[in-house]
Structure formats: C-alpha cells, structure tokens
Amino acid sequence: MNFQGLTGKVITPCDKEYAILRLEYNLDINKFPLAIVYCHNYIDVSNAIKWCTRNCVELRVRTRGHNYEGYSTGTGVLVIDISCISEVNIDTKHDIAVIQAGAKLLSIYSKLADKGYGFNGGTCPTVGISGLVLGGGIGLSCRNFGLVTDNLLEIQLVDEHGILIIANDHINSELFWACRGAGGGNFGVVISYTFKIHKVNKITVIQLRWNEASREEFFDLWQCFFKTATEKISCFAGFNKEGIYLNGFFYGDKLEAEKILKDFLLLPGLLETSSIEYVPFISAVKAIASFYGPPNRFKATGRFVYKTLSERNIKNLVQFVDNSPGADNCFIRLYSLGGAIKEVPSNSSAYYYRKSEYIIGITADFKKDDDSDIYKEWVAEVLQYVNPLTNGTYVNFPYAELKNYGNAYYGKNYPLLRVVKTIYDPCNIFKFQQSIKPLII
C-alpha cells in the first residue's frame, strides 16, 4: 500500500512500535489496522480523510483508545490518531477553556487547577476528552455542573471532505446538537472543544469501603439517597464478591459531607481505610485517579435506571455477583445522575436519558490466560436480567451484542440523528460497527 499523501507520523505493521501502538485500553481488543497516522494538526487529519477516500480504505478515529468495544480501531483500516493534538488554553477573563481533542483528563485537570478551575470530567486519568464529551460525559461533578457536554460551547470538526468547520448554537447548530451525546466517530473528526469552566478551590473527596456484609443494604440506601440528595454530591460505587466501594465529590466541607452521608457511615462493615477529606480540587482528582489500575481485558456495559429496584431485584443482583466467575473479577457498578443533568432541557442535545436516576454498570475483568467466554457470558446473563428493569444503554459504555443499538443508545433522538448524519456524512465515511447510519444507506 502506498501511503503517499498522508502527513503526520505514519506507523505501519513494518514498524517495531506497531505491536504496542495498535493496542487499545481494553486489551481484549485484538485488531490489526492497515496503518496508524498520528496527526499533529487539522491538515494531517484532512489529508488522512482524503487519502482514505482516494484509496477506498475505511477509517477510524482514535484519541486515547478507551472505547470498551474498540470502535476506534479495526483490521485493515486507517486509524486517525489525534492524541498529539492536545493543547489546553484557558481564558480566565471569560471562564472559558479551549481544549484540543487529544488531551487526556489528568492533564486537563492539572492545567485548569493551576488557574483555579475545576472541570466536570470523568475519573479515569488517561481517558481522552473526545470520547467522554461526545457521548455526554459523566463524572463526579455532573450532578453539580451537568454533563461534560452541557458545558460545551463550540467544536471544530474536520468533515467528510477534509474541511475544517465550526459548530455551535448558531453555526451548524444541528451538528452541534448531535455531537453533544452522539458525536463519537459519527460525523467527523473533532479536533477542538470550547468549554465554559467553573472556579473551584477545595472540595470534599469521599472514599468509603465496606466488606461484603452490607451489599443489599447499600444498594437500597443508594437508591433512596439520590432521590433527595443535594446536587452538590456525585458518587460512583460498586460491589463484587469481596466488598463495596463508594467514591464521590462533594462541593462543600467535610462536616457537611459527613452529615449528608451519615446513613452510609452507619452501614455495617465500614472499613478503616475509608476516608472523607476536604482538599484542593486537584488532590481530590488524583485521589480518585489512583483507584484505576493499568489496562486489562474486560467486558462491560451500562444501563439507565429510572425506577426503584425492588428488594427481590437487588437480592438477585447480589446473587449474580456471588455466582460470578473468578475471585473478585465481576462487579455491579453504580453511577449517580440527576441534579443539574435533569435541569437541562431534554431536547437541548442528543443525550436522551436525562431523567434517569443513575446508571447500573455490569463489568467483568479477566487475564490473558483466563477463559474469557465465561466472563462475557456472565455479563450477558446479568444484562438480560437488567434489561427489563432499565431504559436504554449509555453510549460511552457500548456493548457490541446490542440489537437495535441506535434506539438503545439514543432513544427517540435516533431518527433525527440519522437526518443529521445524512446532511454531514451522506457517503458514510465515518462508520464503525455501531455507528449512526445515514438515511440513504
């Protein structure tokens, strides 16, 4: 294959770095792209898109490679990698940040914190901003500041023709609407985001741990708590065979946080390693970031919960975990929603499931030598049970086996998203296994 016309750094299977650089964060993804082009500016991106069109080669768009199902790569495709386009510029006069698409979260947090700002991104430090914001974007500040995409003011995107265009509420507004919740790899290559940002000094970081004794009580309390909880608190939690964790941010002081969390603190089995601390925002981010280990192999997905699960439902979910393969490999995870997310008009962006109370995640980790099928079967079994109790699937927790994935990810917004796709990518240049299809295809 002749790669003439590509600019940036091109990595092919002949290069010694290829074996490592082709890998995704989910090490279970085993794809062999034709080449990877590391772009340094929008011209490199434009040239890559044009090269693919000329050579009839499919493309994929990758920032940090965290897509659960590896939709940012593929066998025989050109991977357009934008991780090198990663500057963060801050306008303190107007409380605005221009963040390039390849920036990873810990870098964003650190640079904003230096200027006295927080950022309502996710918790994994190596996630790229693009996948997060384009799918909606949840994190430990989302009940206070809304989704990541709710704070987005403008994007710069390279379209199917390799042309750099702007989208905001006034220019290409349909595209801007679509990219706030359904933009990941569907409409073009976004290379820059403009966000409104929030002044933050100190917050309370919550890290609570219990043994397995109180899992059913914990789940029931979780549901009740977030029906009335202040929007100043957001939490991610989960449990496996061995115990429970709860990580959270509270935009207030430690004493107030302890008062709000008193029922959780009274649950049996609370471990001495638990902590509630009032710290600088960046210290809170780094504390939660340490929760994440190195990349591994996994299967995972997540569904939106609207109604209170019954005592029997909770008991059955705990039993699924107790009967799961491995010692501590399989989790039910919980991600708080509500608060400021619900306050945004439901038609303001493509993110559909604004009235959901929380997301329930189903995850299984496994090692190279494990029988991966038994872990994947466990996820499928739990998902089959959870499906009728929930409404829709979070697109940033994709699941390749989903039927009618368009409706599952985007609800009633899917028909309109297909219209937007038809306007901005009628030839379906930007496609992958679960991409949005234009009406003419």
Side-chain angles (χ1 to χ4, degrees), residues 13-72:
C14 298
D15 294 304
K16 62 182 180 180
E17 311 102 300
Y18 176 87
I20 296 297
L21 296 180
R22 73 173 183 85
L23 299 177
E24 300 286 285
Y25 181 75
N26 181 355
L27 296 178
D28 193 51
I29 307 300
N30 191 31
K31 303 291 178 66
F32 296 87
L34 182 69
I36 305 164
V37 55
Y38 284 87
C39 300
H40 295 90
N41 50 52
Y42 91 86
I43 295 173
D44 293 343
V45 175
S46 177
N47 288 338
I49 294 169
K50 292 173 182 177
W51 184 91
C52 287
T53 301
R54 284 197 308 271
N55 291 280
C56 299
V57 172
E58 288 190 17
L59 64 82
R60 298 290 186 273
V61 185
R62 185 173 78 177
T63 50
R64 294 289 170 174
H66 277 254
N67 185 281
Y68 284 7
E69 296 288 3
Y71 292 154
S72 58

Side-chain angles (χ1 to χ4, degrees), residues 329-400:
N329 307 59
C330 299
F331 277 87
I332 299 295
R333 302 188 191 271
L334 308 168
Y335 305 85
S336 67
L337 300 175
I341 299 170
K342 286 186 175 182
E343 295 169 10
V344 175
S346 58
N347 63 351
S348 67
S349 71
Y351 181 91
Y352 182 71
Y353 298 101
R354 288 195 175 272
K355 303 302 181 185
S356 172
E357 298 292 330
Y358 61 95
I359 293 171
I360 184 167
I362 308 160
T363 70
D365 298 342
F366 43 90
K367 295 181 173 62
K368 183 177 181 179
D369 296 330
D370 289 338
D371 182 357
S372 64
D373 286 346
I374 63 172
Y375 291 94
K376 294 175 182 179
E377 288 166 5
W378 180 83
V379 172
E381 185 180 5
V382 181
L383 181 60
Q384 184 178 15
Y385 178 77
V386 166
N387 265 332
L389 307 177
T390 54
N391 297 79
T393 299
Y394 182 37
V395 71
N396 280 357
F397 296 163
Y399 189 69

Side-chain angles (χ1 to χ4, degrees), residues 93-121:
K93 183 178 179 180
H94 298 99
D95 296 333
I96 287 173
V98 178
I99 300 175
Q100 291 188 327
K104 60 183 178 181
L105 290 183
L106 187 56
S107 174
I108 294 168
Y109 284 129
S110 298
K111 290 176 181 178
L112 288 173
D114 287 344
K115 301 291 186 180
Y117 293 94
F119 188 72
N120 63 321

Side-chain angles (χ1 to χ4, degrees), residues 152-155 167-169 172-180:
L152 186 61
L153 301 175
E154 184 174 281
I155 63 172
N168 55 40
D169 281 331
N172 296 307
S173 57
E174 313 100 316
L175 178 63
F176 188 56
W177 173 86
C179 283
R180 286 176 290 157

